[in-house]
Amino acid sequence: MATVDINNVTKHFDDVRAIDGVTLSVQEGEFLVLLGPSGCGKTTLMRTIAGLEHPTSGEILIDGRNVTGLPPRARDVAMVFQSYALYPHKTVFNNIVFPLKAQGIPKEEWDTRVREAAQVLGLEKLLDRRPRQLSGGERQRVALARAMVRDPKVMLLDEPLSNLDAKLRASARDELQTFQRRLGTTTIFVTHDQVEAMGMGDRIAVMSGGKLRQLGTPHEVYTESADTFVATFLGSPGMNLIPRNGYLLGFRPENFLPREAMPSQSQIETFRFDVKRVEYLGADRLIYGIVDHAPDDVISIARLPSAVTFPIEVHENHEFAVAHEHLRYFDADTGLRISPQPL
Amino acid sequence: MSDSTIGTIPGQEKPRRLLSLADSERFLGSAFLLPAVIYIIALVGVPFVAAIGFSVSDVTVGSTAFDFRGFQNFEAILKTPQFLRALSNSILFAVVTQVFVIIGANLIAQVLAMDFRGKWIARFFIMMPWATPVALGAIAWLWLLDSKFSPFDWVLQRMHLLGPHTLFGPRLHMVFLGREQLAMASIIVVNVWRLTPLASVILMAGLTSISHDILDQANVDGSGFWRTLFEIKLPLIMPIMSIALLFGMIFTLSDMAIVYVLTRGGPVYYTQVLPVWAYMKGIEGGALGEGAAVAIFLFPVLLAVVIFVLRASRRMEVT
């Protein structure tokens, strides 16, 4: 168990700034998620923490020790790759024992430690198999066992769930979180899937363009998004943004409801909403349209839960509303969150 | 007739039949395979059958008489002392060469698989011995190993390793190709020189095909250079290495140019190998039957090597 401190790290590949001045502290035993679209630098940041890439500038501290120039083997971190990177020619047992051998752990301990790790992940019966004889979920568990067997200070997980099918992914999410809580190992988890990030992270670090956009609990980054990128990246669909009086007014689709469906006592802002399209998704209805006074190319979306049965027709001009507490304000130029403005 | 009408107007039987022929997989399959089949039969099958025919006959270069002689040719060559020598030389030649080729090619492949400036030019130079015609390369080596004018002698003399009161002295010349063991060693060196590039490129392809994730994983797992080499890289390229080995074995066992140019099997017959002996007996000596019998003798040897290596490589296949 350890802390990880990333101090003003940059990483340039020729002219590309993969990481552009990121500062981030991971607490002991924390499950931190690095979230961002592909190419945002999250994987590069993780590889830098592992020591597979060396930062152009800045420093990385693990448990207070500066490891910036050290090779991976001197950092005591374990990593699970998206592809799981199991050694195809080794049995499950030999895959799991490999880090112990490489780290010079005494031979007498190998068997017990491998069996312990295998037991935690339910792999006891598979120890003699080779990776190609395993299913996707089993491979992922072998990769996790290999990561935990040496009791690393930090575990780095690079999209370990993205190779699983949807059904398996949900249960693997649950297993992985339980497993992390049980070990209490400081864990950094990279993903581009916001559902994984929201569901699993103690805190989420949202990245874009090599920069850290926001760091906070899932609730914070969702409800108190620091800028328009975070606001629109999170949520499905993301936050609606409407230009108004020189700033951007934001509200989430699930808070954008027909006037009739709003509780009468709340303070609300009303909009005339020109409905262009209705999508029926089972649990929800998505209403696409244009808010009056907004430019024609700014489509807003309302997400109506199936409990709201109020009929909405295409081409209808309907009155919609948002409660004041759900309105967010952003600077039109920088995209940063600003204090409430006159409506 | 415009293209668009083909096959659409009833009564135009001919284009229609052509079309249906072009759609028939059975016809197309045989048609596309035919050139390859003709090629193999004409250039591999016929000579092979002819060689077997020759080996059991008394056919010679000078006459068209063809009499069946059973296994007399084989008995005759088995009785000569050259035969055992040529067979054991062939095997020694192939095995020792491959040991050095595999070690050297692994070293070169490791270097070439890395990223460095001038990699392209390094690869180009390393491929040169393989790209040079065997006979030309062998002639260059013949000059380099000359009994009087060898530059190696000159260098050794200047280093005070050759000449009176020195390590290789008192003689002034090594006479690389004139002494039994030195001649064999020279042949092996030239063959290693020639075959290492191909093996290097094959192994390099194998090394670069190992996923970066696997190597990164080994790195994070704490594995150092040697452990990664012996526990990860070499086992993963073992199947492709056995293919390199197979090629090397076959090229060595069936090659006659190097031995023929450098020593013609000499001094006496101490560096004789089966292909050169077959050529000398059958073509130069005119005894086609006996020459064919020697050549045919290589067949079971090569077959055994091929079967062994291919089976081993399939067993080592991992993904």
Side-chain angles (χ1 to χ4, degrees):
Chain A
M1 236 195 268
T3 58
V4 177
D5 292 286
I6 298 156
N7 290 335
N8 202 14
V9 164
T10 59
K11 174 71 187 175
H12 298 179
F13 294 106
D14 298 323
D15 289 340
V16 182
R17 293 176 173 209
I19 311 174
D20 196 0
V22 169
T23 299
L24 178 63
S25 283
V26 189
Q27 291 151 16
E28 207 158 290
E30 185 178 21
F31 194 114
L32 182 97
V33 177
L34 289 178
L35 174 68
S38 35
C40 74
K42 55 191 193 299
T43 296
T44 309
L45 183 59
M46 167 167 287
R47 289 173 62 84
T48 313
I49 298 169
L52 294 168
E53 306 283 353
H54 289 284
T56 311
S57 68
E59 51 181 23
I60 290 167
L61 283 73
I62 295 178
D63 224 3
R65 186 171 69 117
N66 190 338
V67 297
T68 315
L70 297 181
R73 64 172 176 281
R75 296 186 179 206
D76 203 6
V77 296
M79 186 159 172
V80 174
F81 287 79
Q82 185 173 356
S83 62
Y84 309 141
L86 299 181
Y87 305 123
H89 58 296
K90 290 180 183 287
T91 60
V92 170
F93 183 94
N94 285 330
N95 261 284
I96 302 176
V97 85
F98 187 75
L100 299 178
K101 280 160 87 178
Q103 298 273 320
I105 308 271
K107 219 171 182 165
E108 306 80 64
E109 292 183 31
W110 293 358
D111 203 61
T112 32
R113 289 180 68 166
V114 170
R115 276 170 210 291
E116 250 174 49
Q119 198 232 321
V120 170
L121 288 149
L123 296 166
E124 301 103 316
K125 290 194 178 125
L126 306 176
L127 287 174
D128 295 328
R129 299 257 191 102
R130 280 175 203 276
R132 67 168 164 201
Q133 299 164 310
L134 302 176
S135 70
E138 288 165 346
R139 286 179 200 188
Q140 187 229 14
R141 299 212 303 272
V142 175
L144 281 174
R146 183 174 57 182
M148 69 166 276
V149 71
R150 46 190 267 224
D151 197 13
K153 284 192 176 135
V154 182
M155 279 231 269
L156 305 172
L157 311 176
D158 187 3
E159 310 219 11
L161 305 181
S162 61
N163 283 342
L164 304 178
D165 60 54
K167 204 170 163 189
L168 199 52
R169 202 178 306 169
S171 67
R173 217 154 62 201
D174 178 43
E175 276 172 26
L176 186 58
Q177 200 177 28
T178 318
F179 167 75
Q180 194 270 341
R181 295 272 182 273
R182 194 157 132 198
L183 295 181
T185 310
T186 308
T187 301
I188 301 176
F189 183 101
V190 161
T191 183
H192 65 268
D193 182 341
Q194 49 170 310
V195 178
E196 275 175 23
M198 301 289 280
M200 298 173 75
D202 290 326
R203 285 192 302 164
I204 298 179
V206 186
M207 289 185 69
S208 146
K211 286 189 160 68
L212 178 63
R213 295 304 178 119
Q214 189 172 8
L215 174 65
T217 62
H219 188 257
E220 274 167 12
V221 292
Y222 190 75
T223 59
E224 307 297 334
S225 303
D227 62 18
T228 51
F229 173 80
V230 178
T232 51
F233 185 70
L234 292 179
S236 59
M239 189 180 272
N240 296 308
L241 292 172
I242 295 166
R244 183 179 273 205
N245 306 334
Y247 64 88
L248 292 169
L249 182 66
F251 47 86
R252 293 213 169 265
E254 64 269 28
N255 299 324
F256 187 47
L257 299 171
R259 177 80 167 82
E260 298 83 345
M262 297 297 288
S264 52
Q265 67 273 32
S266 57
Q267 269 208 308
I268 56 167
E269 175 71 9
T270 58
F271 302 86
R272 295 301 305 178
F273 191 46
D274 200 3
V275 177
K276 298 283 185 200
R277 200 157 76 85
V278 177
E279 249 177 38
Y280 177 72
L281 298 180
D284 305 291
R285 260 187 304 171
L286 294 185
I287 318 290
Y288 294 75
I290 295 169
V291 173
D292 60 345
H293 304 308
D296 274 354
D297 57 340
V298 179
I299 304 283
S300 297
I301 304 170
R303 196 168 98 195
L304 274 48
S306 56
V308 178
T309 51
F310 199 83
I312 305 274
E313 299 297 330
V314 180
H315 302 312
E316 192 181 338
N317 189 288
H318 200 91
E319 189 164 54
F320 271 60
V322 183
H324 276 186
E325 70 205 60
H326 291 134
L327 289 173
R328 299 289 178 269
Y329 308 83
F330 300 94
D331 188 291
D333 299 321
T334 62
L336 292 176
R337 174 99 183 261
I338 52 178
S339 59
Q341 304 287 310
L343 287 161
Chain B
M1 193 195 341
S2 80
D3 282 351
S4 60
T5 60
I6 290 180
T8 55
I9 298 170
Q12 280 190 321
E13 289 301 324
K14 210 179 167 192
R16 215 182 231 182
R17 201 174 305 141
L18 264 179
L19 267 186
S20 68
L21 215 49
D23 281 334
S24 152
E25 287 195 10
R26 273 176 78 177
F27 169 76
L28 284 182
S30 335
F32 288 157
L33 271 179
L34 199 60
V37 172
I38 290 174
Y39 170 85
I40 290 173
I41 289 175
L43 293 177
V44 182
V46 172
F48 181 66
V49 172
I52 292 177
F54 287 170
S55 71
V56 292
S57 75
D58 62 352
V59 66
T60 62
V61 171
S63 86
T64 50
F66 188 98
D67 300 307
F68 183 71
R69 286 183 59 186
F71 290 104
Q72 282 179 34
N73 286 332
F74 291 95
E75 281 166 29
I77 58 169
L78 278 172
K79 275 184 201 141
T80 62
Q82 285 98 320
F83 172 74
L84 255 187
R85 185 67 186 225
L87 181 66
S88 65
N89 272 350
S90 278
I91 291 168
L92 180 81
F93 185 35
V95 171
V96 176
T97 299
Q98 284 315 305
V99 170
F100 286 107
V101 166
I102 289 296
I103 294 173
N106 265 304
L107 288 174
I108 293 173
Q110 288 287 336
V111 174
L112 288 188
M114 288 179 198
D115 259 329
F116 60 91
R117 282 172 77 93
K119 183 160 89 170
W120 186 86
I121 200 95
R123 285 185 183 179
F124 174 76
F125 278 122
I126 283 166
M127 275 310 280
M128 290 283 265
W130 177 250
T132 314
V134 195
L136 285 186
I139 288 169
W141 278 102
L142 181 65
W143 293 339
L144 288 171
L145 298 170
D146 189 88
S147 58
K148 282 236 169 53
F149 306 110
S150 167
F152 296 121
D153 287 351
W154 188 85
V155 171
L156 288 174
Q157 285 162 12
R158 291 299 177 281
M159 290 169 74
H160 299 287
L161 292 171
L162 189 62
H165 313 295
T166 57
L167 183 63
F168 298 124
R171 57 158 69 85
L172 282 169
H173 297 286
M174 292 298 283
V175 198
F176 289 101
L177 301 174
R179 295 153 72 191
E180 185 183 342
Q181 267 136 31
L182 212 48
M184 197 66 202
S186 303
I187 286 168
I188 288 172
V189 166
V190 175
N191 203 34
V192 170
W193 169 83
R194 170 174 148 70
L195 289 179
T196 304
L198 180 69
S200 305
V201 171
I202 293 176
L203 292 187
M204 186 187 71
L207 281 176
T208 45
S209 74
I210 298 177
S211 124
H212 278 284
D213 278 1
I214 297 266
L215 299 178
D216 283 343
Q217 179 74 58
N219 205 348
V220 174
D221 281 346
S223 175
F225 175 81
W226 295 109
R227 184 182 298 278
T228 306
L229 180 65
F230 284 107
E231 279 207 50
I232 310 291
K233 285 183 180 174
L234 289 185
L236 283 178
I237 61 166
M238 204 52 99
I240 210 164
M241 187 144 56
S242 64
I243 298 299
L245 191 74
L246 176 63
F247 274 120
M249 285 293 224
I250 290 174
F251 281 134
T252 310
L253 286 171
S254 60
D255 175 70
M256 59 167 284
I258 291 175
V259 173
Y260 187 76
V261 170
L262 290 183
T263 66
R264 307 219 168 200
V268 199
Y269 53 80
Y270 294 146
T271 61
Q272 191 60 280
V273 289
L274 290 176
V276 176
W277 197 40
Y279 175 77
M280 286 178 152
K281 255 195 168 351
I283 310 294
E284 293 187 344
L288 272 182
E290 283 191 16
V294 176
I296 288 294
F297 211 93
L298 273 172
F299 179 67
V301 178
L302 287 175
L303 196 66
V305 170
V306 171
I307 290 173
F308 173 76
V309 175
L310 285 183
R311 291 188 64 154
S313 89
R314 191 169 321 146
R315 224 183 8 254
M316 288 181 287
E317 201 89 52
V318 282
T319 38

